């Protein structure tokens, strides 16, 4: 091997390897960033959100946040010293362990760590070991091969990770689905980053290359995370139970626990310390392709005669505990409530102290939102805490437990830890308070600086806005700016991905972290951005005469969109939807009786209610077909009480739109309650919920299953025939045909936005915005933009152009979802960034674009004549909804 300096480098980013990461992290951000929502100007909003997030993260959080905890820990920067990097073997002195630093050139060595022997298939015994000197929370790992400026070509295609907290007990990392092997590098140059989901809490790490062929492997690595200041080294709990909810198996076991499991789980850490919080509705974990209940550990009251669950928490040394934060589910409509009482005992030596601290949180019988409950621990001193959590209902579900002690304040400053710094205590050492004080001072300094910078930015932006307003007469200018920024984000991501894959060398940043989450994104005019890409610069004029994105949006956006975190949905040339609605009648609120919560949307909750006297209220014209029940069951969508003005306007906008739509395949708005708060819209009730969940729970009826299926179908169970699926698609096409006759662009057609009633009746819904529940379906770039990119046409993504033809594109994807019974997300094998890259291929049209594959049950003709035609590059060549409706109806005959 040749010695070589490592100058050139490229970065391949694989963010959010699983949807779960994206969804859960996004959720964490959303909850923390809420105070930033009120700002009108998008840039201010985004920056404020980010800063507020950092402030909150720095001051209020006791628990580690995987979103923030992503600092390179010192392989790259040199803070990890040579003596802390070791290996099972080395090929030669110049490929020793100390050269296994990602993209780090000290002008020495051969460019990477390479083990002594050729790696045999499955002979993954070789390892590169890093000692971080103290416990760390690791969220991300990066690997690179050895290129030695073109002279080397060794890399690890796949690898595994082992870790240890004490240096003796080693645990093999696996993801939430039990997969141990991580896909590594494809060439010797690119850096590949992988999210660790679940994250690891450990001090020692081993990277173990795995190969398919007997080959030489070399590796350079980096670990990303932050110090684990919680001090918790293990917890012991009874393992979680299984719930059967309406025939559905819901598993509440601690699936990532890394200790021993016998009668109790002991000596390990797991889901309660993985930094991710469970959803409000524990049944919804399938949205990130996990089994229901996976984000909680939960227990059934009936198995605990004493009425409580006992948990023991062991810490690295004696600490002064101020509080414990416990993230609990409170979905009482499903028999789950947060704990009624927590009694905590303390131990500093060998005996538990007799007097516990007892805390009773007030029961919440109103909100079913999952939340953190803070249990004060009264500054008690201990190295172990035993807490008894008393059941408040049949079930108790916890997703996270974190402790605040005298020495645990998370350092969110951007400087990575310094090696040899006194905070890097070994487990068992006693950290000095002096260090914490100085950390706090640095932190306060940073926060003051950030606030000052923020104020300056706000002043500059406001000044710019005033200036722009003076110059521009059009009142739509603000809207245009928001869209500009939004598209800039999309396009920025496209370029970013594009350039990150093709640029070799010359990178100036020495922190990979900065490149993953730049703190101050630089917004640019999308037109300028588009022109920066050579191919776009020349060809924007050739795009079928497509107007410039901003023009397109001004045409299409007749009403102002307000929430910048989601894209807007409005009509093209829709005078129809201008003005206020006079036909929608106010329904007396007191005649609504709450039955159960149906779901949660962008604006608030959706409830099933009985509406007394609704049939008479509506009169004959409005009476609901086939529904003579009295009182009538209706779905009531309520605007959350703390909604800001913009959300309120959007809600009213959705009412205005829906009130004018009248079609058997569009969900009907029946009445409203808008005279007083909270604002409500009352729609017809669709008893089978949304189409995505509905299909997800079904199986396709094969020809061989005919008899069985007939029987199951009669019993109302879980099989569906191809004909029924096409019947559903016909209904969606029919609803869309109606919308297109009004020139109405839906912008968000997908199975998640269709509802299912009796006898497989399908109706299109969601004329508001994107859905919280399915965040995984929406693309987020640095937590700022939400776009359903997997359903969007290339011109919507790259040019911001939404037309009937882009709805046709989305229909093609929706048809694909229907025929695959929503078992997978579209392009599930591609990351969000790869989907954007694929969009670029549609634009380039060099035959490299990837299409969704033909669903198994789909006849060749339906696939090629219908589905593929929806995804034609030239929007004019895509079929109309009328044609598709006719085609599908015909195929049924
Ligand atoms: P948003 O559009 O604000 O995101 P949705 O209107 O989609 O919210 O409602 C969220 C959830 O509530 C849906 O997924 C569905 O499960 C339920 N839901 C909404 N409307 C109805 C309805 N008319 N009938 C039955 N369930 C409904």
């Amino acid at each position: 091997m040749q010695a070589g300096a490592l100058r050139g480098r490229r970065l391949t980013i694989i963010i959010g390897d699983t949807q779960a990461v994206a969804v859960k992290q996004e959720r964490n951000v959303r909850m923390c960033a809420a105070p930033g929502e009120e700002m009108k100007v998008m840039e201010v909003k985004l920056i404020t959100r980010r800063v507020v997030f950092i402030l909150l993260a720095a001051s209020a959080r006791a628990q580690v946040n995987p979103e923030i905890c992503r600092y390179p820990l010192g392989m790259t920067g040199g803070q990890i010293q040579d003596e802390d990097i070791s290996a099972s073997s080395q090929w030669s002195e110049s490929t020793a362990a100390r050269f296994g630093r990602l993209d780090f050139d000290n002008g020495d060595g051969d460019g990477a760590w390479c083990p002594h022997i050729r790696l045999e298939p499955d002979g993954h015994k070789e390892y590169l070991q890093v000692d971080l000197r103290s416990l760390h929370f690791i969220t991300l790992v990066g690997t690179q091969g050895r290129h030695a400026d073109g002279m080397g070509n060794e890399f690890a295609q796949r690898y595994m990770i082992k870790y240890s907290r004490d240096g003796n007990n080693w645990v093999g990392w696996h993801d939430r689905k039990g997969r141990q092997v991580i896909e590594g590098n494809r060439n010797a140059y690119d850096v590949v980053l992988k999210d660790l989901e679940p994250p690891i809490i450990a001090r020692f790490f081993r990277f173990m290359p795995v190969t398919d062929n007997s080959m030489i492997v070399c590796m350079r690595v980096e670990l990303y995370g932050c110090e684990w200041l919680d001090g918790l080294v293990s917890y012991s709990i009874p393992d979680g139970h299984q719930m059967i909810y309406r025939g559905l198996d819901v598993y509440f076991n601690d699936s990532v626990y890394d200790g021993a499991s016998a009668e109790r789980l002991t000596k390990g850490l797991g889901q309660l310390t993985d930094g991710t919080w469970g959803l409000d509705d524990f049944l919804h974990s399938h949205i990130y392709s996990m089994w229901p209940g996976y984000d909680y550990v939960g227990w059934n009251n009936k198995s605990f005669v004493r009425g409580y669950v006992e948990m023991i928490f062991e810490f690295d040394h004696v600490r002064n505990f101020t509080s414990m934060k416990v993230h609990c589910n409170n979905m009482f409509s499903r028999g789950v409530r947060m704990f009624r009482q927590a009694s905590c005992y303390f131990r500093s030596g060998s005996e538990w102290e007799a007097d516990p601290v007892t805390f009773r949180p007030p029961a919440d019988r109103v909100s079913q939102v999952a939340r953190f409950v803070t249990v004060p621990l009264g500054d008690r001193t201990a190295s172990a805490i035993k807490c008894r959590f008393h059941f408040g209902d049949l079930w108790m579900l916890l997703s996270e437990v974190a402790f605040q002690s005298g020495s645990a304040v998370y350092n969110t400053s951007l400087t990575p830890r310094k090696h040899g710094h006194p905070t890097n205590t070994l487990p068992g050492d006693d950290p000095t308070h002096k260090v914490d004080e100085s950390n706090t001072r640095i932190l306060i300094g940073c926060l003051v600086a950030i606030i000052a910078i923020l104020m300056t930015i706000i002043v500059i932006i406001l000044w710019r806005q005033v200036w722009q307003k003076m110059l521009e007469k059009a009142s739509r200018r603000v809207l245009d700016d928001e869209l500009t920024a939004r598209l800039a984000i999309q396009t920025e991501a496209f370029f970013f991905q594009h350039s990150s894959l093709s640029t070799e060398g010359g990178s100036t940043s020495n922190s990979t972290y900065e490149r993953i989450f730049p703190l101050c994104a630089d917004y640019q005019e999308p037109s300028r951005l588009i022109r920066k890409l050579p191919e776009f610069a020349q060809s924007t004029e050739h795009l079928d005469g497509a107007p410039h994105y901003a023009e397109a949006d001004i045409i299409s956006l007749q009403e102002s969109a307000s929430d910048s975190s989601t894209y807007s949905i409005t009509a093209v040339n829709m005078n129809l939807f201008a003005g206020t609605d006079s036909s929608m009648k106010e329904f007396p609120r007191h005649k609504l009786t709450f039955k159960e919560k149906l779901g949660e949307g962008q604006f608030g909750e959706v409830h099933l209610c009985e509406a007394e006297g609704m049939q008479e209220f509506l009169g004959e014209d409005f009476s609901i077909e086939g529904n003579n029940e009295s009182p009538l069951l209706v779905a009531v969508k309520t605007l959350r009480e703390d909604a800001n003005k913009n959300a309120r306007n959007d809600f009213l906008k959705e009412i205005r739109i829906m009130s004018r739509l009248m079609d058997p395949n569009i969900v009907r708005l029946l009445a409203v309650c808008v005279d007083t708060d909270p604002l409500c819209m009352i729609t017809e009730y669709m008893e089978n919920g949304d189409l995505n969940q509905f299909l997800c729970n079904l199986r396709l009826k094969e020809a061989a299953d005919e008899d069985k299926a007939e029987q199951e179908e009669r019993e109302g169970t879980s099989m569906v025939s191809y004909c029924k699926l096409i019947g559903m698609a016909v209904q969606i096409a029919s609803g869309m045909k109606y919308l297109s006759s009004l020139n109405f662009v839906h912008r968000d057609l997908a199975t998640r936005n269709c509802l299912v009633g009796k006898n497989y009746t399908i109706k299109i819904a969601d004329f508001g915005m994107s859905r919280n529940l399915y965040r995984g379906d929406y693309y987020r770039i640095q937590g700022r933009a939400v776009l359903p990119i997997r359903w969007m046409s290339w011109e919507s993504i790259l040019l911001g152009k939404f037309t009937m033809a882009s709805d046709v594109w989305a229909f093609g994807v929706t048809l694909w979802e229907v025929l695959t019974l929503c078992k997978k997300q579209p392009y599930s094998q591609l990351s969000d960034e790869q989907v954007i890259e694929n969009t670029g291929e549609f634009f380039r049209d060099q035959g490299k674009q990837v299409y969704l594959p033909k669903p198994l049950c789909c006849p060749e003709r339906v696939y090629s004549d219908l589905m593929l035609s929806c995804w034609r590059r030239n929007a004019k060549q895509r079929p109309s909804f009328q044609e598709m409706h006719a085609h599908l109806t015909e195929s049924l005959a």
Side-chain angles (χ1 to χ4, degrees):
M1 282 183 216
Q2 304 281 323
L6 302 168
R7 257 166 264 115
R9 63 177 173 183
R10 297 194 287 179
L11 178 69
T12 300
I13 295 182
I14 301 183
I15 303 172
D17 205 23
T18 62
Q19 287 300 332
V21 181
V23 172
K24 293 180 112 193
Q25 289 183 353
E26 183 281 322
R27 183 182 159 76
N28 292 359
V29 173
R30 184 165 55 84
M31 292 172 82
C32 288
E37 293 286 335
E38 290 291 326
M39 308 290 291
K40 276 252 165 80
V41 183
M42 176 155 175
E43 289 97 325
V44 177
K45 192 186 300 188
L46 298 176
I47 294 161
T48 309
R49 217 183 274 180
R50 203 168 277 278
V51 172
V52 167
F53 175 71
I54 291 169
L55 292 177
L56 285 177
S59 57
R61 291 185 68 100
Q63 65 281 3
V64 69
N65 182 347
E67 176 80 1
I68 288 203
C69 172
R70 295 164 81 90
Y71 310 111
L73 293 178
M75 291 294 276
T76 317
Q79 294 92 341
I80 295 174
Q81 287 170 6
D82 284 350
E83 66 260 29
D84 292 331
I85 311 171
S86 55
S88 52
S89 71
Q90 61 196 46
W91 182 273
S92 66
E93 193 46 42
S94 61
T95 62
R98 64 179 186 282
F99 300 115
R101 297 169 181 275
L102 189 140
D103 235 355
F104 179 80
D105 177 23
N106 61 1
D108 201 357
D110 210 1
W113 162 69
C114 314
H116 176 53
I117 43 162
R118 278 170 178 269
L119 279 181
E120 301 299 331
D122 298 328
H124 26 265
K125 296 204 178 68
E126 300 297 327
Y127 62 80
L128 175 66
Q129 179 174 318
V130 181
D131 176 1
L132 292 172
R133 295 280 182 135
S134 64
L135 291 180
H136 278 70
F137 189 89
I138 304 297
T139 52
L140 190 70
V141 288
T143 58
Q144 197 179 12
R146 171 187 171 274
H147 58 78
D149 274 352
M151 305 300 291
N153 188 27
E154 295 84 18
F155 52 93
Q157 292 168 337
R158 299 184 301 149
Y159 62 96
M160 300 196 297
I161 288 179
K162 279 196 171 180
Y163 62 90
S164 168
R165 288 191 265 279
D166 59 6
N168 296 320
N169 294 319
W170 289 87
V171 182
W173 179 85
H174 58 80
D175 69 11
R176 290 184 189 275
K177 289 185 175 159
R179 291 174 295 218
Q180 287 195 307
V181 175
I182 301 173
E183 290 300 319
N185 299 86
R186 301 235 172 99
N187 59 49
Y189 286 86
D190 293 342
V191 174
V192 172
L193 298 170
K194 290 280 179 177
D195 274 300
L196 292 181
E197 178 58 20
I200 297 173
I201 297 164
R203 171 181 158 173
F204 301 92
F205 292 83
R206 281 180 183 170
F207 290 83
M208 308 174 71
V210 179
T211 60
D212 294 331
N213 315 306
S214 168
M215 62 182 285
I216 298 173
V217 160
C218 300
M219 279 187 102
R220 290 184 285 163
V221 303
E222 177 61 289
L223 292 152
Y224 301 84
C226 56
E227 212 167 350
W228 176 241
L229 299 174
D230 220 288
L232 186 63
V233 288
S234 72
Y235 62 75
S236 150
I237 56 170
D239 199 4
H241 296 153
Q242 179 186 350
M243 173 198 269
I244 296 176
Y245 186 79
R246 296 192 182 162
L248 184 71
D249 289 327
V250 187
Y251 296 96
F252 292 124
N253 56 323
D254 193 341
S255 58
V256 300
Y257 192 77
D258 62 8
S261 56
E263 215 165 285
R264 284 173 69 90
L265 304 181
T266 51
K267 299 196 172 109
L269 295 173
Q271 261 171 258
L272 297 184
T273 50
D274 66 359
T276 47
W277 315 337
L279 295 171
D280 296 345
D281 189 340
F282 53 86
L283 293 183
H284 283 164
S285 352
H286 74 272
I287 63 174
Y288 17 80
S289 321
M290 303 303 288
W291 60 89
Y294 105 98
D295 41 0
Y296 283 99
V297 184
W299 304 270
N300 187 318
N301 194 355
K302 286 186 189 149
S303 312
F304 296 87
V305 276
R306 295 199 178 119
Y308 60 76
V309 175
E310 187 172 273
M311 305 187 192
I312 300 172
F313 303 94
E314 303 276 351
F315 295 84
D316 51 357
H317 56 78
V318 176
R319 289 167 175 252
N320 244 3
F321 290 94
T322 47
S323 62
M324 168 175 68
K325 285 185 157 198
V326 187
H327 191 256
C328 316
N329 190 281
N330 197 43
M331 183 129 282
F332 47 79
S333 59
R334 298 198 172 133
V336 181
R337 271 180 213 274
M338 56 197 215
F339 57 89
R340 181 171 53 80
Q341 174 184 316
S343 305
C344 295
Y345 295 79
F346 300 84
R347 192 186 70 199
S348 301
S350 55
E351 297 292 318
W352 292 105
E353 290 166 20
D355 54 327
V357 166
T358 297
F359 174 72
R360 284 188 196 90
D364 185 346
R365 295 189 177 82
V366 181
S367 168
Q368 305 207 76
V369 169
R371 81 281 311 269
F372 269 104
V373 177
T374 304
V375 179
L377 295 179
D379 280 328
R380 294 282 290 267
T381 306
S383 61
I385 300 178
K386 176 167 73 183
C387 289
R388 292 174 178 164
F389 294 95
H390 293 254
F391 284 88
D393 207 327
L394 184 59
W395 285 89
M396 179 165 65
L397 312 185
L398 309 185
S399 78
E400 196 73 8
V401 178
F403 291 86
Q404 258 176 326
S405 59
S407 51
V409 176
Y410 275 94
N411 180 5
T412 54
S413 78
L414 292 179
T415 41
R417 78 184 186 122
K418 287 275 177 291
H419 197 83
H421 190 281
T423 50
N424 295 324
T425 49
L426 288 164
D429 290 354
D430 196 5
T432 63
H433 288 274
K434 241 181 166 180
V435 174
D436 298 326
E437 278 166 23
S438 71
N439 272 349
T440 313
R441 259 185 255 128
I442 293 169
L443 190 64
I444 290 169
C446 289
L447 295 180
V448 170
I450 290 168
I451 290 168
I453 293 168
L454 174 69
M455 298 302 285
T456 319
I457 292 168
I458 291 173
V459 169
I460 293 170
I461 290 170
L462 290 178
W463 180 83
R464 233 178 62 188
Q465 290 292 316
V466 171
W467 183 243
Q468 274 176 357
K469 274 191 185 154
M470 280 165 62
L471 289 176
E472 298 205 15
K473 288 183 190 135
S475 61
R476 288 202 194 95
R477 180 67 195 176
V478 173
L479 166 64
D480 188 26
D481 279 354
E482 285 198 2
L483 290 164
T484 300
R486 249 178 263 146
L487 192 66
I489 293 163
Q490 302 160 26
T491 323
E492 183 185 21
F494 175 76
F495 292 123
F496 181 59
Q497 175 70 8
H498 205 68
S499 53
S500 69
L501 289 172
S502 56
T503 313
E504 237 180 77
S507 179
T508 50
S509 166
N510 60 5
S511 158
T512 320
Y513 173 78
E514 283 168 20
R515 286 188 285 167
I516 307 166
F517 298 114
L519 274 179
C520 264
D522 193 5
Y523 292 104
Q524 299 185 51
E525 280 289 321
S527 50
R528 240 185 295 146
L529 263 178
I530 287 173
R531 281 180 191 119
K532 267 197 218 162
L533 188 71
E535 51 195 356
F536 265 73
Q538 282 128 33
S539 35
T540 34
E541 305 93 63
H542 309 149
L543 297 168
D544 315 326
H548 175 265
Y549 84 95
E551 286 168 46
D553 273 314
I554 289 169
I555 295 166
S556 65
L557 289 161
Q558 299 291 312
E559 297 180 55
S560 79
S562 42
D563 185 349
S564 61
S565 67
T566 47
Y567 69 101
S568 62
I569 296 172
T570 38
V572 177
N573 291 333
M574 292 283 290
N575 285 335
L576 182 65
F577 300 125
T580 51
D581 173 61
S582 52
S583 64
M584 206 31 65
K585 285 198 286 180
E586 178 79 14
F587 187 75
R589 205 180 276 272
H590 66 270
K591 293 192 171 174
L592 292 172
T593 312
F594 170 82
K595 301 290 288 180
E596 67 178 69
K597 182 175 159 183
L598 292 172
E600 215 165 325
Q602 149 119 26
F603 296 112
E605 295 186 342
V606 182
H607 295 132
L608 172 65
C609 291
E610 278 178 355
E612 196 192 316
M614 179 59 95
Q615 292 285 21
E616 300 85 75
F617 177 86
L618 293 174
E620 274 183 16
D621 293 350
F622 255 94
S623 68
I624 295 182
E625 259 173 67
N627 196 339
N628 299 319
E629 287 164 31
S630 187
L632 188 70
L633 286 175
V634 292
V636 179
K637 193 164 171 177
T638 312
L639 180 67
R640 75 177 96 246
E641 299 212 346
D642 59 354
N644 63 24
K645 216 174 106 217
N646 294 328
R648 204 181 158 86
N649 286 340
D650 285 340
F651 192 79
L652 292 170
K653 188 175 75 187
E654 189 174 355
I655 290 183
R656 268 208 309 277
I657 292 174
M658 285 189 74
S659 68
R660 272 126 183 188
L661 299 176
M662 211 70 74
D663 183 83
N665 296 112
I666 304 285
V667 167
R668 276 260 303 277
L669 180 67
L670 304 175
V672 292
C673 303
V674 291
D675 279 358
T676 53
D677 280 340
L679 305 185
C680 296
M681 59 173 101
I682 306 173
T683 62
E684 55 185 314
Y685 169 54
M686 302 291 285
E687 37 279 89
N688 286 308
D690 75 65
L691 181 59
N692 189 286
Q693 289 192 26
F694 180 72
L695 288 178
C696 205
N697 294 325
L698 295 182
R699 262 191 327 125
L700 186 70
K701 179 169 83 175
E702 309 287 341
D705 287 330
E706 207 64 44
D707 295 343
K708 207 165 106 208
E710 292 280 303
Q711 187 196 343
E712 283 199 22
E713 229 172 286
R714 252 179 278 123
E715 291 164 3
T717 44
S718 58
M719 280 203 170
V720 66
S721 65
Y722 169 75
C723 282
K724 283 255 158 56
L725 293 179
I726 291 293
M728 294 179 196
V730 167
Q731 296 182 65
I732 301 171
S734 174
M736 290 308 294
K737 192 171 88 174
Y738 167 75
L739 292 183
S740 66
S741 73
L742 300 175
N743 227 5
F744 181 90
V745 182
H746 186 288
R747 292 190 177 214
D748 199 7
L749 181 62
T751 53
R752 66 182 167 273
N753 290 332
C754 298
L755 294 171
V756 188
K758 286 194 184 105
N759 301 324
Y760 299 98
T761 313
I762 310 291
K763 302 199 182 201
I764 299 167
D766 245 311
F767 299 89
M769 297 222 180
S770 53
R771 303 266 315 273
N772 287 342
L773 189 75
Y774 290 92
R775 284 283 168 179
D777 292 343
Y778 296 84
Y779 179 57
R780 299 184 61 83
I781 301 154
Q782 297 164 7
R784 290 174 298 182
V786 182
L787 295 166
I789 53 162
R790 288 163 201 268
W791 283 258
M792 275 165 72
S793 66
W794 70 267
E795 73 274 8
S796 301
I797 292 179
L798 295 180
L799 302 178
K801 200 182 168 202
F802 290 87
T803 60
M804 226 61 257
S806 56
D807 270 1
V808 167
W809 181 296
F811 178 80
V813 182
T814 308
L815 179 60
W816 182 90
E817 285 187 279
V818 170
L819 295 183
T820 53
L821 286 101
C822 298
K823 295 292 183 267
K824 277 188 183 159
Q825 211 192 21
Y827 309 104
S828 58
Q829 78 283 12
L830 302 186
S831 66
D832 289 339
E833 281 68 25
Q834 286 167 329
V835 171
I836 298 273
E837 182 65 17
N838 194 34
T839 303
E841 294 300 348
F842 270 104
F843 165 71
R844 281 179 220 116
D845 204 21
Q846 293 165 345
K848 290 190 194 155
Q849 61 272 43
V850 178
Y851 291 89
L852 288 169
K854 186 175 87 57
L856 280 179
C857 68
C858 179
E860 193 56 51
R861 269 198 58 208
V862 174
Y863 183 62
S864 54
D865 294 358
L866 210 67
M867 227 182 262
L868 289 179
S869 67
C870 294
W871 306 322
R872 286 188 183 138
R873 182 184 185 277
N874 186 342
K876 286 181 190 149
Q877 289 173 1
R878 293 175 205 153
S880 66
F881 281 110
Q882 202 159 4
E883 286 162 354
M884 286 193 290
H885 181 248
H887 191 309
L888 284 166
T889 313
E890 214 174 277
S891 79
L892 262 186

